[in-house]
C-alpha cells in the first residue's frame, strides 16, 4: 500500500539511473563540454611531438626540440580542463588561457597537434567564455500581481 506522498514503486530507480541523473545534474552546473574539449585538445598536443612511426624498415620520428614545450602546454590544458569542471567560477580565466595555449601550440607543437589540438582548445576555451550559470530564481514580470512569476504559462508571459 502506498501513501499519497510515497511512490508506488520505491525501488524502481536502479543505481545506474540514479547515477546518470546525478551526473546530468552535476554536468549542467558547470561548463562540462568546454572542459571535455580542452582535455581532448591536450592529447594530440602531447602525443605528436613524441610520436614514432615504423613503416617496414623505415622509422619516421616526429620528435622535435619543442617536445618539452608541448608537454608543458598539454599538461596545462589538462589542469585547465579540471579547473573548468571543478571550479567553474574561474571559467573566464581558464577559457582565455585555453584559447591562448591552443594558438601557442601552432608553432611549438607540430602545428598544434596537426590543427586538431588547436581547434579543440580554441573551441573549448570559447565555450568556457560563453558559458554562464543558470539563474534559478524566478524572474518577476513587470505588472504582474503578487505570486505570479516567469513560471506562469506562456499565455501569461506573452500577454495573450
Amino acid at each position: 500500500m502506498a501513501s499519497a506522498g510515497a511512490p508506488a514503486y520505491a525501488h524502481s530507480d536502479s543505481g545506474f539511473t540514479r547515477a546518470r541523473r546525478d551526473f546530468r545534474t552535476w554536468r549542467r552546473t558547470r561548463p562540462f563540454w568546454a572542459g571535455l574539449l580542452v582535455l581532448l585538445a591536450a592529447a594530440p598536443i602531447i602525443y605528436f611531438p613524441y610520436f614514432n612511426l615504423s613503416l617496414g624498415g623505415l622509422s619516421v620520428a616526429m620528435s622535435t626540440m619543442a617536445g618539452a614545450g608541448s608537454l608543458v602546454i598539454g599538461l596545462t590544458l589538462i589542469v585547465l580542463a579540471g579547473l573548468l569542471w571543478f571550479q567553474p567560477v574561474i571559467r573566464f580565466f581558464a577559457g582565455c588561457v585555453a584559447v591562448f595555449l591552443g594558438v601557442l601550440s601552432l608553432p611549438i607543437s607540430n602545428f598544434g597537434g596537426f590543427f586538431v589540438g588547436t581547434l579543440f582548445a580554441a573551441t573549448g576555451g570559447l565555450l568556457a567564455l560563453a558559458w554562464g550559470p543558470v539563474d534559478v530564481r524566478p524572474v518577476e514580470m513587470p505588472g504582474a500581481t503578487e505570486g505570479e512569476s516567469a513560471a506562469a504559462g506562456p499565455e501569461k508571459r506573452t500577454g495573450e
Side-chain angles (χ1 to χ4, degrees):
M1 178 195 251
S3 67
Y9 302 103
H11 302 290
S12 63
D13 284 347
S14 67
F16 177 74
T17 304
R18 186 175 302 117
R20 190 178 56 135
R21 189 178 331 116
D22 291 343
F23 176 69
R24 183 184 314 142
T25 303
W26 177 82
R27 186 188 69 201
R28 290 181 178 172
T29 60
R30 58 205 69 243
F32 176 78
W33 296 110
L36 184 64
L37 285 175
V38 170
L39 183 67
L40 291 175
I45 290 173
I46 290 175
Y47 179 71
F48 286 129
Y50 299 104
F51 178 62
N52 290 323
L53 176 66
S54 295
L55 299 171
L58 181 65
S59 178
V60 178
M62 298 294 294
S63 299
T64 63
M65 294 299 292
S70 299
L71 187 63
V72 168
I73 289 173
L75 290 177
T76 306
L77 286 173
I78 291 171
V79 169
L80 289 174
L83 288 174
L84 284 171
W85 283 348
F86 300 112
Q87 294 291 330
V89 174
I90 63 165
R91 68 188 180 277
F92 188 79
F93 169 75
C96 289
V97 173
V99 171
F100 174 73
L101 289 177
V103 173
L104 183 66
S105 71
L106 282 171
I108 290 179
S109 175
N110 294 336
F111 296 111
F114 298 113
F115 297 108
V116 174
T118 297
L119 290 176
F120 280 174
T123 305
L126 292 174
L127 281 174
L129 290 173
W131 183 84
V134 177
D135 189 12
V136 294
R137 295 175 300 167
V139 178
E140 294 297 325
M141 296 185 314
T145 61
E146 188 175 333
E148 286 184 337
S149 65
E155 66 277 351
K156 295 284 186 182
R157 281 185 256 151
T158 59
E160 295 175 13

